[in-house]
Amino acid sequence: MKKTRKYLLCLLTLALMLFLPATAAQAASGQQPGYVSSITAKVSGSNKVTVTWKKAKNATSYRVYYKQAGGKWKTLANVKGTKYTHTSSRKYPLTEGKKYVYTVRAYNRYGRKWGSYDRNGKTVTIPAIPGKVNVTKVKANSYQEVQVNWSKAKNATSYHVYYKEAGARNWRKIDSVSGRYTSFKHRSSKSFPLKPGKKYVYTVKAYNGNFNKWGSYNTKGWSVSVPKKPAAKVPGTVKLCYVSATTDSEVIIDWEGVENATSYCIYYKESGAKNWVKIATVGSNTQFYIHESSSAYPLKASCKYLYTIRAYNSASKKWGGYNTKGWSVTTPEDPDATPTPQPTKKPQPTETPKPSPKPTSTPKPTPTVTPTPSPEEIAANAEKMAKEVIRLTNIERRKNGKADLKYHAKLQQAAMTRAKELEIKYAHERPDGSDIGTAAYEAGVGNPCGENIGAGFTKPEAVVKAWMDSPGHAASILDDRATHIGVGYYKGKNGTGYWVQDFSSGPDEKCTLTVDANGGTFPSKGGVEKFEMNVPKGMSIEVKDLPVPAKEGFAFGGYLPFYKGIQASKVPVDGFCMNQSQTAKAVWSENSKVTSSFLYSQSVGIDDVDETFSDGADNCNDTTSSTDNVFSNENENVHDDVDVTTIEPGNSIDDTVEVEFSDYE
């Protein structure tokens, strides 16, 4: 019986030992804890990291460590379990876009012993999640265009613009733009139309392409009403300044520009003919044309011709009125024509003359060759012509009670440049398409305030008279703002004389643009923090022409304008109009992943997580063929079409895939 009891007691003791916690047994022994294995570290938000591991032998607790990549270990917490969530705090921060390393070490409190640990740890990267975009303005610029502006969002490498018609459920993505920009112009297209008189809603989402993360967005959006389509613009009736036949095979026509004209069509006919014949179409910036005789549109000597001009608007497809009678001109006689022979008188008998001494033969004179004028002589003649125009111009100003205009050498240089350019492109626009004021700025002249041009005149008095006979040209000559003048004259290769008057209200005035790197430097300028540019007053400076500053750990985001120390814009601008001295101050964002070259790109190529699409939009307008070549005064039902092909700026002709998402997804 005693043996049985003893046996039962042993069994009970053994059972109790089996049911005792393992840690208690280990702790009692005070043995060294084992190595912590199978550590994982996963990001569970922009400010949280969860760390897990397996139980270690002889461990009564665990200590969790972390460090920024390249730094020193810091103790985060002591825990009894095998899981810990690290939430960012002031003492133990987690910074977006940074890498962090985690490890765990086992501890035995009974033996007061530590186990070994993984010195490499587990590395995680805290994603830079973009902030919510705040749209600051939604404005309808016209019935075909809406502009959207927003504030810069944290951690955004690009922005995605969406819209929908008011009342619709799904948003439609219009386009994506670089994180450098904070505005977008939505132009109506076949894929993303704007209907006149309708209400639309817009929203913007920020995206970080480095971490493939999206920011939140305003689900309600910002609404705007698109105005109704305005009445069609009809060009006015063209008035002729002068028409002149310079030779029997050349006629010069000059006219005044009219409102709403996108092009002009020139017509002519021989006096007495019924139908007008179109000889040319020119752009709206051109108010001058030379009709040279050809097989298609001939001119005959000593013949009377009539000319008329019609303005056309390509947007409204409307024609302006025209002078049905036309302006007449008679071509001169052909200088090479053979004269009509006169009848020869019958000779009368005469007395036989007495012989006289034989005269000594006189040698024939050698014809004098007219020398080709030298460049110096050509320049001197041009200068002489220019000074005479200035003199005659001031006479006209005195007649009208205006002060004399002062000659300015640099303004004269700009006018001479413009005169040569007229042979290439006769218009108030330079051959490269730039504004005529750039010629003045290039010559160092500020405040340009007007220009007159003319062609085909051989004398200064003739061109000044023609200008004064034209109200628009006369207004430039008599402008109260003008204080200085420069005149250009150039005789083209075809013998045509080109004339230019350039005016300024203060040619020597300058403005200073101070370019400030705002904590950075300009590597291309030797590492300086700021520099100054002294330029003619009125000149425009584009941001793309300014040097790009550098700042370690930061990305350049453009320039902000400051006038007298006051910030003039909330967002970076594209350029500076130098009507007064000002400062261009650099804008920086703390994002080492974004480079300057990235910031200056026009668009961003992104493999979106929730959307893939093509940004192309088929927006080519229909073209019309020109059949308005001949029309009659008696039949006013002329064809209202011209050769016009229009593609709206910013639109491509690629196929577009529509992308939609819902607030309720």
Side-chain angles (χ1 to χ4, degrees):
M1 187 68 179
K2 287 183 178 179
K3 288 183 178 179
T4 304
R5 287 180 179 177
K6 197 171 185 180
Y7 180 72
L8 290 172
L9 184 62
C10 288
L11 288 175
L12 182 61
T13 303
L14 181 61
L16 287 171
M17 289 180 66
L18 290 172
F19 284 100
L20 284 173
T23 55
Q26 294 165 355
S29 66
Q31 295 181 16
Q32 181 96 15
Y35 178 85
V36 178
S37 63
S38 302
I39 299 174
T40 64
K42 293 183 179 180
V43 176
S44 51
S46 61
N47 64 345
K48 289 184 179 181
V49 175
T50 298
V51 186
T52 62
W53 58 92
K54 284 188 176 181
K55 286 184 178 181
K57 186 179 179 182
N58 301 327
T60 61
S61 63
Y62 302 91
R63 180 168 289 181
V64 184
Y65 302 85
Y66 100 122
K67 65 179 178 179
Q68 191 171 332
K72 295 182 178 179
W73 293 109
K74 294 181 180 180
T75 299
L76 274 175
N78 294 315
V79 298
K80 291 184 178 181
T82 57
K83 182 179 180 181
Y84 176 75
T85 298
H86 171 205
T87 302
S88 180
S89 65
R90 182 177 293 182
K91 189 175 181 180
Y92 305 114
L94 292 171
T95 304
E96 293 179 338
K98 300 294 184 181
K99 290 184 177 181
Y100 294 89
V101 189
Y102 291 83
T103 194
V104 181
R105 196 176 185 186
Y107 180 70
N108 186 311
R109 68 184 179 93
Y110 296 101
R112 295 182 179 182
K113 294 181 179 180
W114 291 94
S116 59
Y117 66 98
D118 183 356
R119 296 180 180 274
N120 293 323
K122 297 295 179 182
T123 303
V124 295
T125 302
I126 307 301
I129 299 176
K132 188 175 181 179
V133 178
N134 178 38
V135 173
T136 57
K137 182 176 72 173
V138 179
K139 179 186 177 184
N141 294 330
S142 69
Y143 73 97
Q144 291 183 316
E145 183 180 274
V146 172
Q147 182 168 331
V148 185
N149 293 76
W150 59 88
S151 300
K152 201 172 185 70
K154 181 181 69 172
N155 300 324
T157 61
S158 66
Y159 299 97
H160 297 242
V161 185
Y162 301 82
Y163 94 128
K164 62 182 177 181
E165 194 169 336
R169 179 175 179 266
N170 292 335
W171 293 101
R172 299 183 62 202
K173 180 179 170 183
I174 311 169
D175 207 348
S176 60
V177 298
S178 166
R180 178 192 173 196
Y181 302 101
T182 55
S183 65
F184 176 77
K185 288 183 179 179
H186 172 202
R187 296 182 177 92
S188 181
S189 67
K190 187 183 293 184
S191 300
F192 309 108
L194 291 171
K195 301 175 184 177
K198 294 290 185 180
K199 189 176 182 180
Y200 293 91
V201 188
Y202 289 80
T203 196
V204 181
K205 292 174 74 177
Y207 177 75
N208 189 308
N210 301 317
F211 298 96
N212 209 16
K213 295 292 182 181
W214 291 91
S216 59
Y217 69 100
N218 187 314
T219 58
K220 293 183 179 179
W222 291 264
S223 62
V224 63
S225 295
V226 176
K228 293 182 179 180
K229 187 176 181 179
K233 293 183 177 181
V234 180
T237 301
V238 177
K239 294 181 180 179
L240 211 68
C241 294
Y242 63 87
V243 57
S244 174
T246 56
T247 68
D248 64 321
S249 60
E250 183 180 89
V251 173
I252 297 174
I253 310 106
D254 194 317
W255 61 91
E256 292 183 12
V258 297
E259 289 186 358
N260 303 325
T262 59
S263 61
Y264 297 98
C265 293
I266 301 102
Y267 302 83
Y268 96 127
K269 65 179 178 181
E270 194 171 341
S271 181
K274 178 182 177 183
N275 294 335
W276 291 101
V277 178
K278 186 171 79 172
I279 56 177
T281 300
V282 297
S284 59
N285 291 327
T286 302
Q287 287 103 51
F288 173 83
Y289 182 75
I290 299 177
H291 174 199
E292 296 180 344
S293 182
S294 66
S295 58
Y297 313 115
L299 291 170
K300 295 180 288 186
S302 305
C303 194
K304 186 178 181 180
Y305 293 93
L306 301 173
Y307 289 83
T308 196
I309 300 165
R310 299 185 79 188
Y312 180 77
N313 186 291
S314 59
S316 64
K317 297 184 178 181
K318 296 292 183 181
W319 289 91
Y322 68 100
N323 186 324
T324 58
K325 294 182 180 180
W327 294 273
S328 65
V329 64
T330 302
T331 56
E333 295 181 357
D334 185 357
D336 299 325
T338 304
T340 304
Q342 299 293 322
T344 306
K345 291 184 179 180
K346 194 175 181 180
Q348 300 293 323
T350 57
E351 294 181 1
T352 304
K354 294 180 180 179
S356 58
K358 191 174 182 181
T360 306
S361 60
T362 305
K364 293 182 180 179
T366 305
T368 304
V369 179
T370 305
T372 304
S374 65
E376 291 78 12
E377 290 173 327
I378 294 173
N381 183 59
E383 196 72 22
K384 180 181 177 183
M385 296 284 227
K387 287 182 178 179
E388 180 62 11
V389 169
I390 295 174
R391 187 184 73 83
L392 295 171
T393 297
N394 282 328
I395 290 174
E396 296 297 334
R397 285 181 63 88
R398 290 174 208 150
K399 289 179 184 178
N400 289 271
K402 309 292 183 181
D404 281 8
L405 298 175
K406 297 178 182 179
Y407 166 84
H408 194 274
K410 290 183 178 179
L411 192 57
Q412 185 90 340
Q413 178 185 336
M416 288 293 185
T417 298
R418 287 286 298 125
K420 291 180 181 180
E421 291 177 347
L422 292 183
E423 185 179 35
I424 304 169
K425 184 177 184 178
Y426 189 86
H428 290 297
E429 184 181 74
R430 304 189 71 182
D432 62 359
S434 60
D435 185 82
I436 56 174
T438 59
Y441 300 134
E442 289 170 3
V445 175
N447 296 311
C449 62
E451 177 183 84
N452 281 340
I453 61 176
F457 301 96
T458 58
K459 296 181 179 180
E461 53 266 29
V463 69
V464 173
K465 183 179 183 303
W467 282 332
M468 291 304 299
D469 289 341
S470 167
H473 296 91
S476 296
I477 290 174
L478 304 177
D479 192 344
D480 289 321
R481 299 174 302 165
T483 59
H484 292 74
I485 186 174
V487 174
Y489 171 76
Y490 176 71
K491 190 174 183 180
K493 296 176 182 179
N494 60 357
T496 301
Y498 296 96
W499 305 79
V500 174
Q501 285 179 315
D502 278 340
F503 306 94
S504 170
S505 59
D508 297 318
E509 292 186 38
K510 304 283 186 181
C511 288
T512 301
L513 178 65
T514 303
V515 188
D516 187 350
N518 192 22
T521 60
F522 293 99
S524 62
K525 294 284 184 180
V528 298
E529 293 183 8
K530 63 174 67 175
F531 65 94
E532 292 183 347
M533 298 173 63
N534 293 314
V535 298
K537 188 175 181 179
M539 181 177 174
S540 293
I541 301 175
E542 295 186 24
V543 168
K544 67 179 183 179
D545 296 327
L546 296 176
V548 179
K551 186 178 179 181
E552 188 175 356
F554 290 81
F556 175 60
Y559 289 102
L560 287 173
F562 285 77
Y563 301 99
K564 297 181 179 179
I566 300 173
Q567 186 174 326
S569 174
K570 294 182 180 179
V571 296
V573 295
D574 295 328
F576 299 85
C577 185
M578 299 305 297
N579 290 315
Q580 58 183 315
S581 295
Q582 54 190 293
T583 298
K585 188 173 287 187
V587 178
W588 301 101
S589 61
E590 192 173 0
N591 189 346
S592 60
K593 293 288 184 180
V594 183
T595 64
S596 296
S597 61
F598 174 83
L599 288 168
Y600 274 94
S601 64
Q602 291 291 319
S603 61
V604 187
I606 302 170
D607 294 329
D608 295 344
V609 176
D610 63 346
E611 47 206 332
T612 304
F613 72 105
S614 167
D615 280 333
D618 187 3
N619 197 36
C620 288
N621 295 335
D622 293 335
T623 61
T624 57
S625 61
S626 178
T627 56
D628 188 27
N629 289 322
V630 180
F631 68 92
S632 169
N633 290 339
E634 300 171 4
N635 182 9
E636 293 299 320
N637 246 341
V638 298
H639 300 283
D640 288 346
D641 55 6
V642 300
D643 292 320
V644 179
T645 302
T646 304
I647 300 177
E648 287 190 4
N651 293 329
S652 68
I653 53 174
D654 301 325
D655 293 331
T656 300
V657 179
E658 297 182 3
V659 179
E660 300 184 354
F661 74 90
S662 170
D663 290 336
Y664 309 104
E665 291 180 343

